[in-house]
Amino acid sequence: MEMKHTFVRLMLLLFAGILVVSCREQKKSAPTGADVKEVTFKEAPKDFLIASSFKNIHMIQLEATEESLISDIKRVVDVDGKVYVLTRTNEIYCFDRATGKYIRTIGRLGEGPGEYVSAMDICYDEKEKCICVVDYYKSAIHNYTLDGKFLGDRKLDNDTAEGVGWAVYADCAPDGNMLVSLRMSGNKPPRDYAYIIVRPDGTSTGVDVFSPVKSEIGSVEVSRHPIAKSDDGLRFFKFMNDTIFTLSGDEVVPFCKLNLGRKMIPKDVLAKMDSYDNINAGKLYQSGYSLPLFELYEDKNYILVLTKPLTLQGRDNYLINKKTLEGIHIKGSARVAVEGVMFLEGRLMPDIIDSNRNEFISWFAPIWIECMREEIFAKNLDVKLYKKEMRTFFEKADPEGNPCLVFYEN
């Protein structure tokens, strides 16, 4: 009888253990998006000032020297009182954040050691304290100190290097993992993943497939700035998806779902229109679908999302309060003078170029300076300046000089 009881106890313990493991596995495999909160967006009221959401607004014009002439900016990284600027003409410059004074060039063009051929993107690796340059031509990631010294290339295995060759945008998480967004490729074999997670040991994992959507041409850029640093990792959105996700370590979990008032284009619907391109996305927008998500920025208080700019009405800005998950929809304008007034009044941030935990960073070309002087100040338009210093800045800025940066600080 005692042996029988012992056997029963052992069976019960075994069953309990199996049940616990099963529950844990179910918890892991359960759809984590089931309880994700949805963010709806209210139209910004006329008196809404986006500038009032930030503690300070700091403006600089980047110094123009013979060594640092800039026509267009692709990326800005703000680290330790310096800003590292990647231009669309493939240069990387370092400036003083407070004054805009030119300091140095980072790296140089070339195919030798320590040189890059095509800097698709730059980002800051907090773990290694270095600037990473994503060179898609070399299929490599070059590391430089903040003083511009070459440290060596990031270790990449063959599959990872091949993926980096299709890079569009990249950023580093605090743990050293890098998330790289990729172009859609029509080549054979195709690059089917929208992202790869690049680990410090050089291995990688694909995230979010493009299929069944495909491209019939060499490559297509489907997003411009789809990744942002956050306190808990990296934030990003998937291809043709209305949910923002968080990458923490190797784990991808949904953060919030966006209700933009329209349904996101289903992949299978887009796939039936043959090759992916802006024309097809525009046609589906006209039929009632939402525009695809295109840019993502975040500081410690807010998330800003921009959709693909396919309309003539200017860019739509979707601002999310991270604590309350309340959303505001701010309509931009295709007219420079209109956006200039909205900027001066604190109702709109000009072209957002980057963000980090402490700030959003905007930029504008020198043509804005002429526009402010001739179309706004000279005509004495009734503009309620958010900060009086803004007018002083534009009166002193050089319309023949380098672009200007605006830091929205929290």
Side-chain angles (χ1 to χ4, degrees), residues 37-40 301-302 319-327:
K37 292 185 178 179
E38 183 175 86
V39 180
T40 57
N301 295 327
Y302 297 96
L319 186 70
I320 303 167
N321 185 311
K322 288 166 61 176
K323 293 181 180 178
T324 64
L325 289 186
E326 296 175 342

Side-chain angles (χ1 to χ4, degrees), residues 74-339:
K74 185 175 184 180
R75 181 79 188 266
V76 175
V77 175
D78 182 359
V79 184
D80 291 347
K82 300 179 182 67
V83 287
Y84 298 83
V85 177
L86 171 63
T87 73
R88 293 196 180 275
T89 51
N90 216 25
E91 298 95 4
I92 306 169
Y93 299 121
C94 176
F95 296 88
D96 181 82
R97 184 191 185 281
T99 65
K101 185 175 178 59
Y102 170 69
I103 299 175
R104 65 176 62 88
T105 299
I106 304 298
R108 62 181 182 271
L109 290 170
E111 298 194 29
E115 299 174 333
Y116 60 87
V117 177
S118 184
M120 178 53 64
D121 199 16
I122 63 173
C123 59
Y124 178 60
D125 187 335
E126 298 177 34
K127 187 175 182 181
E128 300 298 330
K129 309 296 182 186
C130 66
I131 298 294
C132 302
V133 178
V134 180
D135 187 341
Y136 82 91
Y137 183 87
K138 286 187 173 182
S139 296
I141 299 173
H142 314 300
N143 294 338
Y144 298 86
T145 67
L146 297 180
D147 292 331
K149 296 177 182 178
F150 179 61
L151 292 172
D153 290 347
R154 186 172 177 132
K155 181 180 178 181
L156 303 176
D157 63 23
N158 291 336
D159 288 341
T160 305
E162 184 183 352
V164 169
W166 294 95
V168 174
Y169 187 86
D171 218 332
C172 278
D175 60 6
N177 278 349
M178 179 182 287
L179 187 63
V180 181
S181 69
L182 308 179
R183 294 179 182 84
M184 185 186 298
S185 165
N187 292 2
K188 295 181 180 180
R191 301 298 310 178
D192 196 37
Y193 285 105
Y195 300 88
I196 53 173
I197 301 171
V198 181
R199 303 181 187 87
D201 65 2
T203 61
S204 63
T205 298
V207 177
D208 184 28
V209 294
F210 286 122
S211 61
V213 183
K214 59 183 179 180
S215 170
E216 298 295 343
I217 61 176
S219 66
V220 177
E221 180 183 282
V222 298
S223 59
R224 179 175 297 162
H225 192 296
I227 307 167
K229 271 189 169 71
S230 66
D231 290 332
D232 47 351
L234 294 175
R235 213 83 72 191
F236 71 104
F237 51 75
K238 295 183 180 181
F239 177 61
M240 290 302 169
N241 201 299
D242 55 8
T243 300
I244 296 176
F245 294 82
T246 303
L247 170 67
S248 181
D250 272 6
E251 187 178 10
V252 174
V253 294
F255 175 74
C256 67
K257 182 180 176 66
L258 309 184
N259 181 353
L260 304 179
R262 293 183 176 205
K263 183 180 178 182
M264 187 60 65
I265 305 170
K267 285 185 181 180
D268 58 344
V269 172
L270 191 57
K272 292 177 182 177
M273 301 183 74
D274 299 321
S275 180
Y276 175 81
D277 56 37
N278 289 343
I279 295 176
N280 288 337
K283 288 178 181 178
L284 289 169
Y285 171 75
Q286 294 297 329
S287 68
Y289 285 106
S290 171
L291 289 172
L293 305 183
F294 199 60
E295 298 178 51
L296 176 69
Y297 304 93
E298 178 173 350
D299 73 353
K300 63 183 178 182
N301 295 327
Y302 297 96
I303 294 175
L304 181 69
V305 178
L306 303 177
T307 55
K308 203 170 186 67
L310 296 180
T311 69
L312 298 177
Q313 303 171 359
R315 306 205 306 175
D316 285 331
N317 298 257
Y318 294 93
L319 186 70
I320 303 167
N321 185 311
K322 288 166 61 176
K323 293 181 180 178
T324 64
L325 289 186
E326 296 175 342
I328 295 289
H329 175 212
I330 307 166
K331 293 182 179 180
S333 171
R335 296 178 57 194
V336 175
V338 174
E339 287 211 339

